[in-house]
Amino acid sequence: MNKKILVISDAAPFDGQRIRESLDMALIFAAIDQEVSWLFTGASVLALTKGTTPSSLGIKDFFKQLKTLEIYDVDNLFVCEHALLEYELSTEQLSVDARILSFELQKSLINEHDHVVTL
Amino acid sequence: MNKKILVISDAAPFDGQRIRESLDMALIFAAIDQEVSWLFTGASVLALTKGTTPSSLGIKDFFKQLKTLEIYDVDNLFVCEHALLEYELSTEQLSVDARILSFELQKSLINEHDHVVTL
Amino acid sequence: MSQLIISLHCGPDAHDSLQCMNRFVQAALKQNHTIKCIFLYQDAVLHANQHIQLSSDELQVSSIWEQLSSQGIALKLCVTAAEKRGINTQDTGVFTVAGLAEFAMEVCKVDKWVQFR
Amino acid sequence: MSQLIISLHCGPDAHDSLQCMNRFVQAALKQNHTIKCIFLYQDAVLHANQHIQLSSDELQVSSIWEQLSSQGIALKLCVTAAEKRGINTQDTGVFTVAGLAEFAMEVCKVDKWVQFR
Amino acid sequence: MSITVHIFSKPLRYYSNNFNLALIGERDKILLQQDACYDQARFAATFNKNLYMLETCSIARGISPANLVTLIDDLSWVDLLVASDKSITW
Amino acid sequence: MSITVHIFSKPLRYYSNNFNLALIGERDKILLQQDACYDQARFAATFNKNLYMLETCSIARGISPANLVTLIDDLSWVDLLVASDKSITW
């Protein structure tokens, strides 16, 4: 049975391992051939900005994996329009191709999926 | 050396053990004869409302200890005025005697203490 | 009757969340639904720490898990989340060490996935 | 020169906070200040879990603590917070099990208390 | 349109960053559990229908249901989730 | 009046519940570390003086300091705290 899974992130980039755990969750569903979408909302949109170099803090750079998600068939990336405004970000400042969604469109996104997980 | 310690709580009543850990911190400084004040701000003011019976959830009722703080010489309890407004609470609804402080007065409170810990 | 899967995301200090999850599971069993498994992810893997010591008037966290296990519910924990947090994966008591892939495959087979955070 | 005391409040999954604290400690030592102790409270007691396993390209959390310990800094953890979270207080590696009272008495003797959450 | 149960366990203010009324569909349900019960007034002012609160959680907090808030027991809680298409634990 | 260093490690919105500009004394300092650096613009709009940001934290996030924000290295960070009376890690 093919399922449509939506992962929603809202944590700041270095808030524990939360973005990392969202990434693992998205990748694992893709690996078992499910349709995965990932919505970045709140401070999690900051994880998509260019120029992040966690290695300078001695921390593993898992952010670079975000740029290669397409290879793993996680090609539905979405960002919350409101969150971009909150942090004054334009799509040019993001390191990935992601669709910008209003809350109204996020409602439709939720509607289309079988399971939604917030991490 | 006598120190003045201010404990600031902001967690919701059943958010992990955070109120409990604030309580332990306040009590321990009182036990070693330091002057302790405790400021409840944000959702932590809800921990002071009457009628909480955690035992009906199988959880230890440490909230009742809040009412006996005076015995342990933690007699400086403060609540954030803004937080009371946020949750539409009046002092009659609180289970303890606490002074209501505006943010301006909280600034003075911080000013008077040697160490401030947020839990 | 529905097939349900539960994921828990909070550590053993969150007594209220644990009790809330437990009440849901007990009510679901009473209604003859099936609980495919309870999966511990993020800080919830810390429930597999085998030395939880609480005074007798506290919620006895480990006996809740023992009861759930004795009711035949599969209790699994995410190995990666556990290793990152220093859990001894050789000594996890009633919990079975599992990969995220195993959990994900079970999610695909159930009707509802309910998260407790 | 000042006497400083540090309390850490976040678990071993918070690599950024740990590194931030470590940088502060190293800079303080360089400036010849004294670090009275680093006290683990709340979720930070989980750093004493003795089985943290991370791949080689990850921040090696335990080597940071070993280095701090070898620099002569007292590393203490709150026994109550540890017992609630299932830490084996008989096996805490470089960390010394302490009561909250011991920490509070040290706080009274220092110039500055800096929290890392 | 599918039916989603939106689950809250903390006061509404905790979600101000990532949550908005526009996310709730016409037939969606809102479920208040744990510490979200304390903030039922604000939830009721924001979502004026399909608002449910767990009886056990609210009793333990000394809270009686406000207008527009339907109190449910544990069995009805399971029914609510099983009868919907999915849930989101915010 | 004593001098307090107010330490933030997350975007300002995380503190909306318990924090207010009125808590900051005339001579107090604001220190942005970790993920608070991402939100320097909003911090700078709220606190227009005595605003410091850790260089190492901001570089790792690809952030250059905005107007009104003073970048400090680790040694100056220690100096800032030692020269003040106390700190609050919000």
Side-chain angles (χ1 to χ4, degrees):
Chain A
M1 282 202 299
N2 210 270
K3 295 271 179 158
K4 297 185 73 171
I5 312 285
L6 174 62
V7 177
I8 301 181
S9 297
D10 69 355
F14 293 87
D15 185 347
Q17 301 276 325
R18 289 178 55 197
I19 299 295
R20 177 75 174 280
E21 285 159 338
S22 304
L23 173 70
D24 289 347
M25 191 65 88
L27 289 176
I28 211 80
F29 276 106
I32 61 165
D33 295 322
Q34 309 299 308
E35 274 185 66
V36 182
S37 302
W38 188 354
L39 170 64
F40 292 81
T41 181
S44 76
V45 296
L46 296 162
L48 301 173
T49 54
K50 290 174 183 163
T52 311
T53 53
S55 49
S56 69
L57 299 169
I59 297 173
K60 178 172 173 165
D61 187 0
F62 61 89
F63 297 99
K64 65 184 177 197
Q65 269 187 274
L66 297 173
K67 295 165 211 161
T68 61
L69 280 170
E70 281 180 47
I71 304 170
Y72 302 99
D73 282 327
V74 181
D75 34 18
N76 298 310
L77 296 182
F78 302 92
V79 291
C80 170
E81 180 182 41
H82 179 80
L84 290 182
L85 283 171
E86 171 93 6
Y87 297 104
E88 299 175 20
L89 293 172
S90 65
T91 40
E92 290 77 52
Q93 291 170 278
L94 301 185
S95 59
V96 298
D97 262 337
R99 269 220 293 151
I100 301 175
L101 298 185
S102 65
F103 283 120
E104 192 62 40
L105 286 172
Q106 290 172 46
K107 175 169 75 183
S108 311
L109 186 73
I110 291 168
N111 193 46
E112 288 162 13
H113 285 79
D114 297 306
H115 294 300
V116 183
V117 57
T118 59
L119 287 170
Chain B
M1 285 200 298
N2 210 271
K3 295 272 182 158
K4 297 186 73 170
I5 313 284
L6 174 62
V7 178
I8 301 182
S9 296
D10 70 355
F14 292 88
D15 184 347
Q17 303 275 325
R18 288 179 55 197
I19 298 295
R20 176 76 174 280
E21 285 159 337
S22 305
L23 173 69
D24 289 347
M25 191 64 89
L27 288 175
I28 211 82
F29 277 106
I32 60 165
D33 295 322
Q34 309 300 307
E35 276 185 65
V36 182
S37 301
W38 189 355
L39 170 64
F40 291 81
T41 181
S44 75
V45 297
L46 295 162
L48 301 173
T49 53
K50 291 175 183 165
T52 312
T53 53
S55 49
S56 68
L57 299 170
I59 298 173
K60 178 171 174 167
D61 188 359
F62 61 89
F63 297 98
K64 64 184 178 197
Q65 268 185 274
L66 296 173
K67 295 165 211 162
T68 62
L69 280 170
E70 283 181 46
I71 304 170
Y72 302 98
D73 282 325
V74 182
D75 33 20
N76 298 310
L77 296 182
F78 302 93
V79 291
C80 170
E81 182 183 39
H82 179 79
L84 290 183
L85 283 172
E86 171 92 7
Y87 297 104
E88 298 175 21
L89 293 172
S90 64
T91 40
E92 290 78 52
Q93 289 169 279
L94 301 185
S95 59
V96 298
D97 263 337
R99 269 221 293 154
I100 300 174
L101 299 185
S102 64
F103 283 119
E104 192 63 39
L105 287 172
Q106 292 173 44
K107 175 169 74 183
S108 311
L109 186 73
I110 291 168
N111 195 45
E112 288 162 14
H113 286 78
D114 296 306
H115 295 299
V116 183
V117 56
T118 59
L119 288 168
Chain C
M1 298 308 99
S2 293
Q3 289 245 34
L4 311 174
I5 199 159
I6 311 277
S7 63
L8 183 70
H9 301 257
C10 56
D13 58 319
H15 293 184
D16 184 44
S17 299
L18 177 64
Q19 283 293 66
C20 194
M21 182 210 73
N22 189 34
R23 292 207 325 275
F24 180 80
V25 170
Q26 298 307 328
L29 294 177
K30 228 175 249 171
Q31 307 274 58
N32 291 315
H33 300 300
T34 308
I35 306 288
K36 189 85 179 167
C37 86
I38 301 175
F39 184 70
L40 312 185
Y41 194 48
Q42 296 181 316
D43 281 351
V45 297
L46 297 165
H47 279 281
N49 260 338
Q50 290 299 302
H51 298 270
I52 297 180
Q53 286 178 52
L54 296 158
S55 65
S56 59
D57 58 345
E58 298 264 8
L59 175 71
Q60 296 303 307
V61 171
S62 17
S63 32
I64 290 175
W65 291 114
E66 275 154 33
Q67 195 215 330
L68 287 164
S69 171
S70 74
Q71 290 175 290
I73 296 171
L75 307 174
K76 302 188 180 177
L77 66 90
C78 173
V79 60
T80 319
E83 286 176 348
K84 264 181 206 167
R85 289 168 176 83
I87 304 289
N88 181 357
T89 51
Q90 305 300 311
D91 177 27
T92 54
V94 293
F95 303 98
T96 310
V97 176
L100 203 51
E102 183 179 333
F103 170 68
M105 281 186 275
E106 294 198 343
V107 163
C108 298
K109 292 180 202 145
V110 300
D111 303 304
K112 301 281 162 1
W113 173 6
V114 185
Q115 273 188 285
F116 287 84
R117 296 179 76 188
Chain D
M1 297 308 101
S2 293
Q3 288 244 33
L4 310 175
I5 199 160
I6 311 277
S7 62
L8 183 71
H9 301 256
C10 55
D13 57 321
H15 292 185
D16 184 43
S17 299
L18 178 64
Q19 283 294 64
C20 193
M21 182 210 74
N22 189 35
R23 290 207 324 275
F24 181 79
V25 170
Q26 299 306 329
L29 294 177
K30 229 174 247 171
Q31 308 273 58
N32 291 314
H33 300 299
T34 309
I35 305 288
K36 189 85 180 166
C37 86
I38 300 176
F39 184 71
L40 312 186
Y41 194 49
Q42 296 180 314
D43 281 350
V45 297
L46 298 166
H47 279 282
N49 260 337
Q50 290 298 302
H51 299 269
I52 297 182
Q53 286 178 51
L54 296 159
S55 63
S56 59
D57 57 344
E58 298 264 6
L59 175 71
Q60 296 304 307
V61 170
S62 16
S63 35
I64 290 176
W65 292 114
E66 274 154 34
Q67 194 214 330
L68 287 163
S69 171
S70 74
Q71 291 176 287
I73 295 171
L75 307 175
K76 302 188 180 177
L77 67 91
C78 173
V79 59
T80 318
E83 286 176 348
K84 262 179 208 170
R85 288 168 177 83
I87 304 288
N88 180 359
T89 52
Q90 304 300 310
D91 178 25
T92 54
V94 293
F95 303 99
T96 310
V97 176
L100 203 51
E102 183 179 332
F103 170 68
M105 282 186 277
E106 295 200 342
V107 164
C108 297
K109 290 180 204 147
V110 300
D111 302 303
K112 301 282 162 2
W113 173 5
V114 185
Q115 274 189 283
F116 287 85
R117 297 179 74 187
Chain E
M1 290 290 278
S2 73
I3 299 176
T4 302
V5 182
H6 299 268
I7 303 172
F8 296 93
S9 52
K10 294 277 189 322
L12 188 55
R13 182 61 78 94
Y14 274 67
Y15 308 96
S16 55
N17 227 346
N18 56 354
F19 194 79
N20 187 284
L21 182 57
L23 289 169
I24 308 283
E26 185 60 24
R27 298 164 62 212
D28 284 357
K29 325 272 186 194
I30 316 284
L31 175 64
L32 306 185
Q33 64 189 35
Q34 304 174 257
D35 284 341
C37 301
Y38 284 116
D39 209 19
Q40 57 162 338
R42 183 164 287 106
F43 278 103
T46 312
F47 314 109
N48 51 23
K49 61 174 189 178
N50 299 332
L51 190 52
Y52 300 86
M53 179 162 71
L54 293 186
E55 192 172 22
T56 314
C57 292
S58 60
I59 288 175
R61 288 163 178 81
I63 293 163
S64 349
N67 236 340
L68 302 170
V69 179
T70 307
L71 218 54
I72 54 171
D73 65 15
D74 289 355
L75 298 179
S76 317
W77 174 21
V78 172
D79 293 343
L80 183 76
L81 281 159
V82 167
S84 309
D85 295 289
K86 71 199 118 194
S87 62
I88 304 182
T89 303
W90 289 102
Chain F
M1 289 290 278
S2 72
I3 299 176
T4 303
V5 182
H6 298 269
I7 303 170
F8 296 92
S9 53
K10 294 277 190 323
L12 188 55
R13 183 61 79 93
Y14 273 69
Y15 309 95
S16 56
N17 227 346
N18 56 352
F19 194 79
N20 187 286
L21 182 57
L23 289 168
I24 308 284
E26 185 60 23
R27 298 164 61 212
D28 284 358
K29 324 271 187 196
I30 315 284
L31 175 65
L32 307 186
Q33 64 189 34
Q34 303 174 256
D35 284 341
C37 302
Y38 284 116
D39 209 18
Q40 58 163 340
R42 184 164 287 106
F43 279 103
T46 312
F47 314 110
N48 49 24
K49 60 174 187 176
N50 299 331
L51 189 53
Y52 301 86
M53 178 161 74
L54 293 186
E55 192 173 20
T56 315
C57 293
S58 60
I59 288 175
R61 288 163 179 83
I63 293 164
S64 350
N67 236 340
L68 302 169
V69 179
T70 307
L71 218 53
I72 54 172
D73 64 15
D74 290 355
L75 298 178
S76 317
W77 174 21
V78 172
D79 293 342
L80 183 77
L81 281 158
V82 166
S84 310
D85 295 289
K86 70 199 120 195
S87 63
I88 304 182
T89 303
W90 290 102

